[in-house]
Amino acid sequence: MNRLLAWKNSPYRKPLILKGVRQVGKTWILKEFGRRCYENTAYFNFDENEEYKQFFETTKDVHRILQNLMMASGQKIVPEKTLIIFDEIQDCAKVINTMKYFCENAPQYHIACAGSLLGIALAKPSSFPVGKVNFMRIDPMTFTEFLLANGDENLVRFLEGADTIEPIPDAFFNPLYEKLKMYYVTGGMPEPVLMWTQAQDVSAMQEALSGIIGAYERDFAKHPNINEFPKISMVWRSIPSQLARENKKFIYKVVKEGARAREYEDALQWLVDAGLVHKIYRSTAPGLPVTAYDDLSAFKIYLADVGLLRRLAQLAPTAFGEGNRLFTEFKGALTENFVLQTLTTQFEVVPRYWSRNNPPYEVDFLIQRENDIFPVEVKSEANIASKSLRKYKELFPDQVKLRIRFSLNNLKLDGDVLNIPLFMADQTDRLIGLTL
């Protein structure tokens, strides 16, 4: 909401394209923003009203388009005072293209667009309005947002106010640890979170997650090449077993015996463009720009949301009551997915990972903060021996200002290793700043 407000008040405002996976809350946030910050909202859904698309096909004159939309919908549109929302625009190349003319010829109109498979549409080289739109991405709710939804403002105030690197008192540590387990079960998609925080209803929450996964799987059929549909499903279904392996590098053979990269590359890229999975490349060394050191043949795949991963892996919510089983189940994959999910919302550059063979070493993530690269290790238990972090420092002594470890241990600085309890992962950027 704060970022939308900054967009509204910016002197350089352009039409906004809000990206995010299906059911992450794009339409809700735009309508709520219109309700709070504008005199009225004019909402157009191109999935419900396909006939609206025609207004964009016959003319590029934005005033005429708006006139037609107002007459057809009976909604009034006033420059500066109305928020115009174009929803489900992923299949309307002409609507996306028209943003260029709104930007150039009618900047006084405030326009926000949303659509669930926009990443796919924008990956196509059609006449896209380069430089004429602002982008924003909405991610699943973070653990901090989950705490707020659950009525735990006191815990959030504590987390955000922690300004020294010292152990967290048990009075906060224990409830945060328990709440994090709940977050692993629900994930950050608004509907399952609502089912849990409002009604504490486990079966409704499970059903909401299944419904979201079902909606995604129906979307696979929207791939223009229908032959890709079964391949996308197979890659998607293979993700829990990919992550259950000791070495989490993506292996095509796990998708299907004898599968080759070239057969499944497109299917995997579709999932990446749709925002359903994160693709993390192996980095050969900590240098800038990070892309220069990417090994494009080796990568790991994570899901957009930890709750969806738990549901897709068919791990029952009862694991929530069994000590730290939720953290350690299938090789700590939920924990790694959770950490990656929170890092992608805090750092501009997509994280990488580092590994080498014989003998095997692997650093789970490398994050770039300003012009520094930090190695990150994720431990799903309290046992935290880290030979890979040590090896990494031996190999790149000059590049390592600080090493970061996420675990179930308390907050502390151990030499140059910053141990961050998993429930403070949302504070990583701030904690690194404090430590340095």
Side-chain angles (χ1 to χ4, degrees):
M1 194 60 86
N2 291 335
R3 280 158 61 207
L4 286 169
L5 257 174
W7 169 78
K8 176 184 195 279
N9 298 325
S10 166
Y12 312 111
R13 190 193 61 256
K14 298 170 184 174
L16 177 72
I17 290 187
L18 184 64
K19 299 197 293 186
V21 293
R22 184 182 292 291
Q23 298 190 354
V24 78
K26 298 182 296 297
T27 303
W28 183 88
I29 192 84
L30 288 178
K31 284 183 165 175
E32 183 68 6
F33 172 54
R35 191 178 69 75
R36 286 192 202 177
C37 305
Y38 288 86
E39 283 180 16
N40 74 309
T41 304
Y43 175 79
F44 304 98
N45 184 318
F46 291 95
D47 201 32
E48 284 172 17
N49 304 92
E50 294 210 356
E51 62 275 15
Y52 290 165
K53 293 180 193 174
Q54 291 173 346
F55 301 146
F56 295 82
E57 280 160 10
T58 50
T59 178
K60 300 255 191 290
D61 179 345
V62 291
H63 298 286
R64 209 168 113 205
I65 291 171
L66 288 177
Q67 214 78 53
N68 289 338
L69 285 171
M70 279 193 280
M71 279 157 59
S73 66
Q75 307 192 55
K76 74 172 188 192
I77 295 176
V78 184
E80 311 282 345
K81 296 185 175 167
T82 303
L83 176 66
I84 303 167
I85 302 173
F86 291 146
D87 204 356
E88 300 295 351
I89 62 162
Q90 60 273 11
D91 301 326
C92 322
K94 288 275 198 293
V95 177
I96 297 173
N97 185 28
T98 306
M99 292 310 119
K100 174 180 177 208
Y101 301 101
F102 275 109
C103 175
E104 289 171 353
N105 306 331
Q108 67 276 30
Y109 290 101
H110 292 214
I111 297 179
C113 306
S116 44
L117 292 175
L118 263 175
I120 310 273
L122 302 177
K124 290 177 195 149
S126 62
S127 52
F128 176 67
V130 180
K132 304 294 181 184
V133 289
N134 296 132
F135 281 109
M136 211 176 281
R137 193 182 78 196
I138 180 166
D139 294 293
M141 295 163 74
T142 60
F143 176 55
T144 308
E145 289 166 336
F146 171 80
L147 289 173
L148 289 172
N150 203 38
D152 294 308
E153 284 89 352
N154 58 331
L155 293 177
V156 173
R157 274 201 302 277
F158 174 76
L159 285 175
E160 293 182 340
D163 57 359
T164 47
I165 304 298
E166 59 185 26
I168 308 294
D170 287 354
F172 293 106
F173 191 100
N174 297 335
L176 281 164
Y177 167 73
E178 289 302 323
K179 305 279 179 190
L180 183 63
K181 285 200 233 172
M182 272 162 59
Y183 180 76
Y184 274 34
V185 171
T186 62
M189 297 301 277
E191 191 189 2
V193 170
L194 183 75
M195 295 303 160
W196 174 256
T197 54
Q198 299 286 305
Q200 310 274 302
D201 186 336
V202 173
S203 60
M205 181 228 15
Q206 284 282 80
E207 211 151 290
L209 280 166
S210 301
I212 292 169
I213 290 172
Y216 291 166
E217 292 178 347
R218 286 191 294 281
D219 278 343
F220 299 164
K222 295 184 178 169
H223 193 289
N225 176 357
I226 202 68
N227 304 338
E228 292 293 315
F229 171 60
K231 292 182 188 168
I232 297 172
S233 296
M234 284 162 85
V235 172
W236 169 254
R237 290 273 165 196
S238 82
I239 291 173
S241 41
Q242 300 274 0
L243 288 172
R245 293 164 49 255
E246 193 60 63
N247 166 12
K248 293 183 170 58
K249 177 186 158 188
F250 188 85
I251 307 277
Y252 285 99
K253 286 193 185 66
V254 176
V255 178
K256 187 184 177 199
E257 196 49 56
R260 297 252 169 73
R262 61 168 188 274
E263 297 171 69
Y264 286 87
E265 260 167 356
D266 283 358
L268 179 57
Q269 194 54 43
W270 191 94
L271 288 167
V272 174
D273 289 340
L276 294 176
V277 303
H278 297 290
K279 187 179 193 180
I280 305 297
Y281 283 110
R282 176 178 172 270
S283 180
T284 51
L288 294 174
V290 285
T291 45
Y293 298 88
D294 284 348
D295 167 3
L296 298 179
S297 67
F299 54 87
K300 299 194 280 191
I301 291 290
Y302 294 95
L303 240 53
D305 175 68
V306 64
L308 292 173
L309 174 61
R310 180 198 60 80
R311 191 73 189 100
L312 199 62
Q314 296 178 322
L315 188 61
T318 48
F320 160 64
E322 301 165 25
N324 61 3
R325 182 181 160 199
L326 217 51
F327 297 103
T328 55
E329 191 71 49
F330 70 109
K331 303 274 190 288
L334 288 175
T335 299
E336 255 186 63
N337 207 101
F338 162 70
V339 169
L340 175 74
Q341 206 177 317
T342 170
L343 293 177
T344 51
T345 61
Q346 294 175 73
F347 300 99
E348 198 181 346
V349 179
V350 177
R352 306 297 200 265
Y353 77 100
W354 173 84
S355 69
R356 65 183 317 174
N357 301 333
N358 306 336
Y361 292 103
E362 178 170 314
V363 169
D364 296 310
F365 300 114
L366 299 180
I367 50 177
Q368 180 183 338
R369 181 182 185 271
E370 292 166 9
N371 285 331
D372 296 313
I373 292 174
F374 299 94
V376 174
E377 185 152 61
V378 179
K379 293 288 187 191
S380 41
E381 302 165 70
N383 160 30
I384 50 169
S386 338
K387 63 182 202 315
S388 296
L389 271 186
R390 272 202 305 279
K391 185 68 180 173
Y392 182 89
K393 188 177 180 181
E394 255 171 56
L395 292 168
F396 311 107
D398 301 341
Q399 279 104 319
V400 182
K401 277 189 181 176
L402 183 67
R403 294 175 289 168
I404 293 152
R405 183 198 297 126
F406 291 100
S407 71
L408 293 177
N409 286 14
N410 215 322
L411 179 64
K412 70 164 192 276
L413 185 61
D414 209 349
D416 69 341
V417 177
L418 175 63
N419 189 82
I420 301 179
L422 285 163
F423 53 72
M424 291 189 88
D426 290 348
Q427 310 292 324
T428 303
D429 184 33
R430 203 171 62 78
L431 292 173
I432 293 175
L434 278 174
T435 309
L436 293 176

